[in-house]
Each structure stands twice: as C-alpha cells, then as structure tokens.
Amino acid sequence: MSTILEKIAAIESEMARTQKNKATAGHLGLLKARLAKLRRELITPKGGGGGTGEGFDVAKTGDARVGFVGFPSVGKSTLLSNLAGVYSEVAAYEFTTLTTVPGCIKYKGAKIQLLDLPGIIEGAKDGKGRGRQVIAVARTCSLIFLCLDVLKPLVHKKLIEHELEGFGLRLNKQPPNIYFKKKDKGGINLNCMVTQSELDADTVKTILSEYKIHNADVTLKYDATSDDLIDVIEGNRIYVPCIYILNKIDQISIEELDVIYKIPHCVPISAHHKWNFDDLLEKMWEYLKLVRIYTKPKGQLPDYNSPIVLHLDHISVEDFCNKLHRSIAKEFKYALVWGSSVKHQPQKVGLEHILADEDVVQIVKKV
C-alpha cells in the first residue's frame, strides 16, 4: 500500500512543481492519467474487491438514499437523530460514530433512507482512517449531505471535496460531454466541435497512450480539460447531487447568516435546536428529483397515502408498471391518466407516455 501512496505523493509533488502552460499540458495530462490509475488501484486493490468493511454497507431500502458526509464532530449524528428519530450516538468528542447508522424518514409520501457515515479525516482517499469504506458507501447514495461547521466551512468544504474527488465522486457536476470509443485500428481520431484551450491532439494521444489505447474516436463537444477526458476513460465516476449543510448557525450573527444564504447548494441549520429543517427537507426533495404517482383501482378513489415514487429520469407509464410489478407491462392494454401530463381528464395513454408529479394512473389489463 505504501508504495502506491509513495508514487501518488511523488506525482502530486511533481505536478505542484510543474508550471502550467501550453508546453507542459501534455506532461501534466500524462501525470494526471497516472494519478487516476494509482487512485483506482487504491479503491479496488488488485486481487479482488475485498470486503466492504464490518458494519459499513447497509441494505438499501426506501425510494432514495441520502448519505451524511463530513469531518468528525460537525453534528451529523445530532442531525440524523432529530430528523429520523434514530439514536446515533452523540457526544462532544470526535469519532463517536464508528459504523454506518441508518435511519428512515417519510417525506411527501416517499421513504428516504438516511445514512450517518463515520467522520472522514484528511487523507481518507489514500486509505487513512476508514475513509475507503465510508466513501464506498457514499458512492451508493442518491444525494450527499456534506455537513460543515459554520465557523470553518470553506476549509472543510475544500478538504472533503478533495477526498471525494480522489474517490471518483463528482459533486453537483454533469458527466463530461465527450464521445469516446475504442476501436481496433485507425489510430487516434480527434474531433473538436469548439476551440480547445487545454487539450490538443498530442495531449489526447499522450493521455490515451498511458492507458495503452492507440486506436480510438474522441469527440470534444465543449472546451474540455484533461481531467474531464480522464474521467471518461476511467468510466467509473459517480455524479451525485450534494447539499452543503452549514450546522451550528446558533453561533453566528444574522448578518453572517444572510451572506451564507446566498451561497449555491447551501442550507444553514442548527441540528441541536432543529432550526431550518423545513428548508433542508424541501431542498432535499428538489435535489433527489423524485416524482409521486398515485394509483387508482377500478371503481375506487385514488390512494393518496402511498404513492409510487419514481425518479425524474424514469417516469414513463412503463417505468410505473415495472415499479408496481414486472408482469404488469406484459398484460398492459392501456392506462387512464388524470393530472398535468395529459390534456383531458382522464386520458387514454400507452406505455411510452411520460407522467408528471402527482398524476393519478389506472392500469387497464388485456382480458
């Protein structure tokens, strides 16, 4: 392990010494590619994936999963206890939580699993503390709550983002708009749809050769960086929405609070006093992009108490049928839909119809 860490440290120090300009772009790209490969070895050591670590991985339940990530003693356990009514050990000393503590809340009819992960320390991505297991669980979450102490938010934010980035987690980012396909022959074919400030043919070839790729089609659809290209080649990056929770706002002034409210993706709270939880839950709902669909059995009123919860990316009638039961789509004749996704109430639709939040659906099966 230490040899990989030593190699990583050597590359990082060489990158820090290298001046950034056109002449060194290829060399820096090569170093970044080497770094990404070494980091991958750290996450998945050679010789199998190994266990997830005792008590870390928790069975997935509910409609979505939210992970609480942060340094020790920022109030993650207090927040979980007050939100979900789950007892996660709370104390004023660091590293109170040593395993993943799951909780569950019902919000707007959806069941949302909350995971209080043990505190991350600096160097977690290099295997320090139990960082690897913590971040492995974080990779399975639909949303990350990055818990920060309001008295030192920026320092912690940068450090934790750096740790998560090292593990292939990209917060509040879209996957790079780069087309990449390996082929058997024909060399590297680079196509730039816009002018590139960092990547040119030589840099792209250098990065690809580090991965022993000598024949590929690459199309850059925007001004991309070498990091973006490496992310696409690695192909194991997780793009996850993140809300920065600034805890302990009872310790700052109203003026400071006004400034904090203007920061994007931030919600200031006090976990101890339960301040501003409504705002946090509303933002959580918005970032999870969940959609509620109500079922209506024939000749009965719609069931408004237990909606079928779908994700915004998968909201066709077919997705709805599959969520109810795999066999329904096979016996499907048509559906009657009431709500904002149709022009008249009810409207007869097929499997490909796209539903909207709070639509009511009645499935009619083939006889």
Side-chain angles (χ1 to χ4, degrees):
M1 182 68 76
S2 61
T3 53
I4 295 179
L5 290 178
E6 281 161 16
K7 284 178 190 170
I8 286 176
I11 292 174
E12 282 180 337
S13 66
E14 190 178 341
M15 281 167 67
R17 286 197 308 272
T18 308
Q19 282 188 317
K20 281 187 182 174
N21 56 43
K22 266 285 183 206
T24 60
H27 180 60
L28 279 169
L30 179 73
L31 292 175
K32 283 176 179 174
R34 278 184 190 156
L35 198 59
K37 281 167 69 183
L38 288 167
R39 289 225 190 286
R40 181 171 13 113
E41 275 181 51
L42 265 184
I43 303 170
T44 50
K46 284 174 181 164
T52 47
E54 56 290 8
F56 273 87
D57 208 22
V58 175
K60 224 172 183 173
T61 61
D63 301 302
R65 190 179 223 190
V66 177
F68 293 42
V69 174
F71 279 121
S73 295
V74 289
K76 298 189 298 297
S77 303
T78 310
L79 180 59
L80 181 78
S81 303
N82 288 339
L83 272 178
V86 172
Y87 182 69
S88 176
E89 196 168 322
V90 179
Y93 55 85
E94 299 198 339
F95 297 108
T96 327
T97 306
L98 295 172
T99 60
T100 303
V101 180
C104 189
I105 56 167
K106 228 178 161 187
Y107 187 67
K108 295 191 178 183
K111 285 193 188 79
I112 294 161
Q113 186 182 31
L114 305 176
L115 295 181
D116 175 17
L117 299 172
I120 282 182
I121 57 169
E122 210 177 328
K125 65 180 182 321
D126 304 326
K128 281 190 190 165
R130 298 169 99 177
R132 187 184 303 151
Q133 293 102 313
V134 175
I135 300 177
V137 177
R139 281 173 68 96
T140 66
C141 294
S142 343
L143 172 68
I144 300 283
F145 276 177
L146 213 159
C147 304
L148 302 165
D149 188 325
V150 79
L151 300 173
K152 42 193 172 196
L154 287 172
V155 182
H156 282 185
K157 177 175 177 284
K158 280 201 177 98
L159 287 171
I160 291 178
E161 280 178 342
H162 184 61
E163 298 301 324
L164 296 180
E165 291 252 326
F167 261 90
L169 265 166
R170 303 287 178 262
L171 305 180
N172 294 329
K173 283 182 183 171
Q174 291 301 316
N177 195 1
I178 295 174
Y179 173 79
F180 168 71
K181 190 169 191 236
K182 287 190 217 176
K183 50 187 189 177
D184 297 329
K185 53 180 188 285
I188 303 294
N189 180 19
L190 176 65
N191 181 16
C192 303
M193 294 172 90
V194 297
T195 312
Q196 298 293 316
S197 55
E198 186 177 325
L199 291 175
D200 55 21
D202 290 340
T203 309
V204 170
K205 278 178 185 165
T206 307
I207 291 171
L208 289 171
S209 68
E210 178 60 29
Y211 285 93
K212 298 183 172 55
I213 298 168
H214 305 292
N215 301 291
D217 287 330
V218 180
T219 304
L220 306 174
K221 299 178 184 177
Y222 68 109
D223 186 6
T225 64
S226 46
D227 289 320
D228 295 338
L229 180 60
I230 291 165
D231 281 356
V232 172
I233 299 166
E234 284 279 339
N236 62 352
R237 305 305 191 222
I238 305 277
Y239 296 86
V240 65
C242 171
I243 294 173
Y244 300 103
I245 297 178
L246 293 171
N247 188 21
K248 308 182 185 177
I249 54 169
D250 45 319
Q251 299 178 16
I252 60 168
S253 67
I254 295 290
E255 290 76 25
E256 287 172 304
L257 194 56
D258 284 342
V259 172
I260 286 167
Y261 247 110
K262 293 184 179 113
I263 304 170
H265 313 298
C266 268
V267 179
I269 63 152
S270 167
H272 181 67
H273 296 290
K274 302 187 187 181
W275 292 349
N276 210 22
F277 277 14
D278 293 352
D279 219 9
L280 176 61
L281 291 172
E282 194 52 55
K283 205 162 189 107
M284 173 191 77
W285 181 261
E286 180 196 325
Y287 278 50
L288 283 172
K289 295 182 177 167
L290 297 178
V291 172
R292 294 156 295 175
I293 309 294
Y294 301 111
T295 53
K296 183 189 180 307
K298 196 177 178 185
Q300 295 177 33
L301 288 169
D303 177 10
Y304 289 117
N305 292 324
S306 43
I308 299 297
V309 179
L310 302 173
H311 191 270
L312 200 57
D313 296 340
H314 304 284
I315 47 169
S316 67
V317 173
E318 189 173 2
D319 294 319
F320 171 74
C321 290
N322 289 337
K323 188 83 188 261
L324 283 171
H325 197 278
R326 283 283 152 89
S327 65
I328 291 177
K330 290 174 192 152
E331 302 163 8
F332 178 89
K333 188 177 180 187
Y334 63 86
L336 292 171
V337 177
W338 292 257
S340 57
S341 73
V342 290
K343 287 182 179 141
H344 20 265
Q345 316 289 334
Q347 186 172 318
K348 216 185 217 185
V349 300
L351 282 173
E352 64 291 333
H353 176 75
I354 299 296
L355 299 163
D357 191 26
E358 298 201 272
D359 274 3
V360 173
V361 178
Q362 181 183 325
I363 303 289
V364 179
K365 293 182 185 178
K366 292 173 190 160
V367 179

